[in-house]
Amino acid sequence: GSAGGLYKGVQIGDIVVADSAEKYDGVTRLLVPENYPADADSELTRDLISSLQANNVIFRVGKVLTCDLYYPGPLGAPFLDAGERGLL
């Protein structure tokens, strides 16, 4: 797998808690309806945030991007503005 950040404020090594995801992949639409929300379990997310706070860990919470091709090709890369749209 790959991981990276498109948001200007995210640095290498930052902890990111994904509370939802924007889907730019081909597999998801084969598994669930396209309008199916990609939201994290709220109780699990809340517990994770509480644990991070209790341990004085610096982190960010927000929407992330999931994609099966992170490199621009002949059709471009429609997700390059994701950071400008606030995705972590």
Side-chain angles (χ1 to χ4, degrees):
S2 298
L6 297 170
Y7 189 72
K8 289 184 182 180
V10 175
Q11 302 296 315
I12 293 173
D14 284 359
I15 304 294
V16 172
V17 177
D19 61 6
S20 61
E22 190 169 300
K23 304 172 283 188
Y24 271 108
D25 66 353
V27 175
T28 302
R29 64 188 92 148
L30 297 173
L31 300 172
V32 296
E34 197 162 330
N35 63 349
Y36 188 85
D39 296 330
D41 179 275
S42 59
E43 187 175 335
L44 180 62
T45 303
R46 188 174 45 253
D47 290 348
L48 176 58
I49 290 170
S50 293
S51 178
L52 291 168
Q53 290 171 333
N55 289 284
N56 297 314
V57 175
I58 298 170
F59 63 96
R60 296 176 182 273
V61 179
K63 183 183 269 191
V64 298
L65 175 90
T66 180
C67 187
D68 48 12
L69 181 61
Y70 288 102
Y71 307 99
L75 300 177
F79 56 82
L80 290 178
D81 68 341
E84 295 169 8
R85 292 185 285 120
L87 278 73
L88 299 175

